[in-house]
Every structure is written in C-alpha cells, then in structure tokens.
Amino acid sequence: MAVTILAIESSCDDTSVAIIRDGYVLSNLIANQDIHMAYGGVVPELASRAHQANIVPVTHQAMIKADVKAEDIDAVAFTRGPGLLGSLLVGTSFAKGFALAQNIPLIEVNHLQAHVMAHFILEKDKNNRLPSFPFLCLLVSGGHTRIIIMKSHLEMEVIGNTIDDAAGEAFDKCGKVMGFTYPAGPLIDKLAGTGNKNAFRFAKPHVKGLDFSFSGLKTSFLYFLRDSLKEDPDFIEHNKADLCASLQHTIISILISKVITASLQTGIKEIGIAGGVSANSGLRNEMKTEAEKRKWNLFIPAFSLTTDNAAMIGITAYYKYQRGQFAGHDIAPLARY
Ligand code: KG4
Ligand code: ZN
C-alpha cells in the first residue's frame, strides 16, 4: 500500500511543507521570510512568529497541490533540530496536533541528515539517479559545514566539522561587510560570475584533518577591505565582481580540498554536496571538474532541494516509517541535535 507523508520544516526562517508518497514528491512548498533582510540576519523571535502565521496556509496549499486530503496521510514528519528553538517549536507543535487529530504516527527528523537525504528524493518524470552506500557528502549551509558518510539511509557518521563559522556564514558575513543584504550567498555567486577569481588573495586556514575554519577568512577579508577603502573610498563599488569571485574561489577551494582528502582517506568515490551553499554555481562547477579528474560518481542536488525544504524531511521520514521509527507525543525539539 502507498505511504503518504506530510512533512514540516521550520528550523530557521523558511516555513516549508511537503507531501511525499512512496519517496516521490507530490508537493514541496516554501514560504520565505523577507522580514529578516533589514536586520542582516535571522531574528529568532520574528522567525517563530512568521512560522505561526505561515504554517496553516502553507500546509493547506501543499495538500491542494498534491491533491491529498487529511485522511490520505499516513504519518506526519517534522524537523526536531538542530535549529532555532522557537522556530522548531512551531513545526513540532503543529505536527503533533495534526498527528493527534488524524490518529497517525509522528516521525522526528534530524535537519542535517535530511539535507544529505535530499539526494534520495524521487521526482516524477526524472531519471532519479540515486547514490549508493557508503556515500560521502559535503553538507554546507548557513549553520553547518560538515563532511558526512552515509552508511545506509539512516546511518550517518560525521568525519569533518567546522570549528567556528559555517561556509554559508562566511558568504553572508563577508557580504554584509560589502553592504549586501542577508543572505548574501546568492548575490555573491551572481557577481562572481563576471569577476576575476585570482584578483585578490585571502588567508586560507590551516586546520588539521577534515575540519574547517572560516573565521580567519572573514577577518582577512575585513582587514583587506578596511585598508583598501583608505586608499579608495569606492573600492568596493569599483571591485565588486572581483571581490566576490576571489572570495567565492577561496571558500570553494577550502571546501573542495577537504572533500578530496576525505575521499582519499576513506576510498569513497560516491560523492555529493548538499545544503544551501551547494546552490553555488562555482562550487557545483568545480566539483564537476574534480569529479571528472578523480573518477567520482558525483551527486549535485536540484536547486530547489539545496536550501531548507520539507521534501528532504519527508524522504528521511519515509525510510524511518518503513522501519517503524516513530516518536512519542512527549518529544521536544532540540536546538542542538
Ligand atoms: O541550508 P540553508 O537554506 O539553511 C541552513 O540550514 O542554514 O542555507 C542557507 C545558506 C545561506 O548562508 C546562504 O547565503 C547560502 O546558503 N546560499 C548560498 C547560495 N545560495 C544560498 N551561498 C553561496 N552561493 C549560493 N548560490
Ligand atoms: Zn538547512
């Protein structure tokens, strides 16, 4: 019998609801919160209020789009963490209420695992090439930078982690210094397209093993701009594209060098990228070049599945459903999972 799952994602500033049937996405809607742009980052209290306003209409629309009624749903999945506690609470409470009203099971999902599991989402009329295990995935988002080995759909091992900022934070914080609104990653990506990636050089960290560090780069970028602005007050305006291209290139080379090391150390050539920063065109292209050179079987997610979305929560829940991994109603969200 078909298994239909309603999935809720509310860990940060996007309210997303998806309907997944037997691993296929029937709908995956996202309500973005533009309110944070003016503040240069996500304001937790505003985020949870916006989730409260959005969650019912987004769920309603997701059900209409999927042509699914409440009675057709077999389980409700939600992001338990990591994320902003107030935001997570909205999704968790809504999921509990829905599950209770329909008398169906509740499934909790780890947001980070879900980003990697986005590679297992099936889409109608697509060729749906899926990774095999072990699968090595670089997870790069606004809050996390990790190298993860998936041993099976539900078993993951973190083999590398950032010791300070995440890659997305490096994009966002350096963008803020250049006067860009939050999140700055997409604009930097766009401007980098017309810039020279070798125009400027910024400090690269020396972190042992498979861990990452981005706070030094942020400082190096800040000091470089401070000095340059003394000589030319319009330095940023005059060099925007080159600054973006050079910064992006530095971030990408830090990321890719660790993926290469991880692949060599583990012998895994089944490789993917996931998370918001995996939408970056430079990262996608350079990963493709590296994959050809090193004979990797590379997996790059569709743009719609890179940033936070509920389809990735739904696909993870689908595998948990098959194993009967349900949550009790006393479950609480976890800011740090
Ligand atoms: O996965 P995500 O939507 O949320 C978190 O779980 O953090 O990632 C958001 C991050 C932001 O830092 C944003 O600037 C970055 O992803 N991002 C990008 C691009 N699109 C989104 N960074 C670089 N290039 C992009 N095209
Ligand atoms: Zn995320």
Side-chain angles (χ1 to χ4, degrees):
M1 223 181 64
V3 176
T4 307
I5 294 174
L6 170 75
I8 316 281
E9 152 62 33
S10 72
S11 65
C12 190
D13 59 336
D14 296 319
T15 315
S16 180
V17 181
I19 312 270
I20 303 279
R21 179 169 287 155
D22 291 341
Y24 281 87
V25 191
L26 301 187
S27 63
N28 182 30
L29 300 189
I30 302 170
N32 302 115
Q33 302 180 1
D34 291 340
I35 192 160
H36 307 288
M37 271 187 179
Y39 298 91
V42 177
V43 184
E45 184 53 33
L46 294 180
S48 47
R49 266 189 250 164
H51 283 304
Q52 283 179 30
N54 292 338
I55 198 147
V56 172
V58 179
T59 304
H60 188 62
Q61 288 306 319
M63 287 167 64
I64 290 174
K65 179 141 193 249
D67 195 17
V68 158
K69 293 190 217 51
E71 310 78 86
D72 303 329
I73 296 168
D74 298 300
V76 186
F78 66 96
T79 304
R80 187 183 185 193
L84 301 170
L85 200 57
S87 293
L88 291 166
L89 263 170
V90 178
T92 306
S93 311
F94 180 82
K96 283 182 186 177
F98 198 102
L100 210 56
Q102 292 303 121
N103 195 23
I104 51 176
L106 197 57
I107 303 172
E108 57 102 358
V109 172
N110 177 326
H111 180 88
L112 303 182
Q113 183 178 7
H115 266 301
V116 181
M117 283 299 290
H119 286 285
F120 295 87
I121 293 171
L122 302 171
E123 290 183 274
K124 281 240 151 59
D125 307 321
K126 295 239 172 107
N127 77 351
N128 293 316
R129 197 170 64 93
L130 302 184
S132 53
F133 301 112
F135 173 49
L136 191 127
C137 192
L138 170 72
L139 168 59
V140 269
S141 72
H144 304 276
T145 301
R146 295 191 180 179
I147 298 180
I148 291 172
I149 299 178
M150 296 292 300
K151 296 174 176 169
S152 69
H153 292 110
L154 299 177
E155 264 178 295
M156 70 171 190
E157 186 191 345
V158 179
I159 58 168
N161 201 350
T162 180
I163 57 169
D164 41 55
D165 290 350
E169 264 179 297
F171 274 103
D172 296 337
K173 288 181 177 173
C174 293
K176 194 175 176 182
V177 177
M178 290 189 281
F180 301 168
T181 51
Y182 172 88
L187 180 59
I188 293 177
D189 186 357
K190 191 168 160 228
L191 292 169
T194 57
N196 171 8
K197 65 181 184 183
N198 297 312
F200 307 110
R201 281 190 186 278
F202 305 111
K204 278 195 206 159
H206 298 282
V207 187
K208 268 196 274 170
L210 297 173
D211 287 339
F212 301 91
S213 165
F214 288 99
S215 69
L217 170 63
K218 181 186 64 193
T219 312
S220 157
F221 189 74
L222 189 70
Y223 287 173
F224 172 75
L225 281 186
R226 193 191 55 188
D227 295 343
S228 305
L229 284 166
K230 276 185 202 152
E231 285 167 26
D232 172 8
D234 294 322
F235 182 79
I236 296 175
E237 204 46 50
H238 291 154
N239 297 279
K240 227 175 218 175
D242 286 351
L243 281 168
C244 290
S246 304
L247 172 70
Q248 177 170 300
H249 177 63
T250 311
I251 296 173
I252 292 171
S253 32
I254 295 169
L255 293 171
I256 294 190
S257 73
K258 295 285 177 161
V259 176
I260 294 170
T261 310
S263 170
L264 290 173
Q265 274 181 12
T266 58
I268 302 172
K269 287 180 175 249
E270 199 78 358
I271 295 190
I273 52 175
V277 180
S278 71
N280 185 269
S281 52
L283 177 62
R284 293 165 91 92
N285 289 337
E286 292 195 31
M287 282 295 287
K288 282 180 200 158
T289 308
E290 217 54 57
E292 252 172 56
K293 199 158 69 188
R294 297 172 185 277
K295 307 268 177 295
W296 290 346
N297 192 18
L298 181 67
F299 294 86
I300 293 184
F303 281 110
S304 58
L305 301 176
T306 55
T307 43
D308 291 347
N309 67 87
M312 68 187 198
I313 305 302
I315 192 72
T316 312
Y318 174 61
Y319 287 98
K320 289 190 139 190
Y321 184 95
Q322 288 170 332
R323 287 162 186 76
Q325 294 183 11
F326 303 127
H329 276 262
D330 55 348
I331 195 162
L334 300 171
R336 291 169 180 276
Y337 200 118

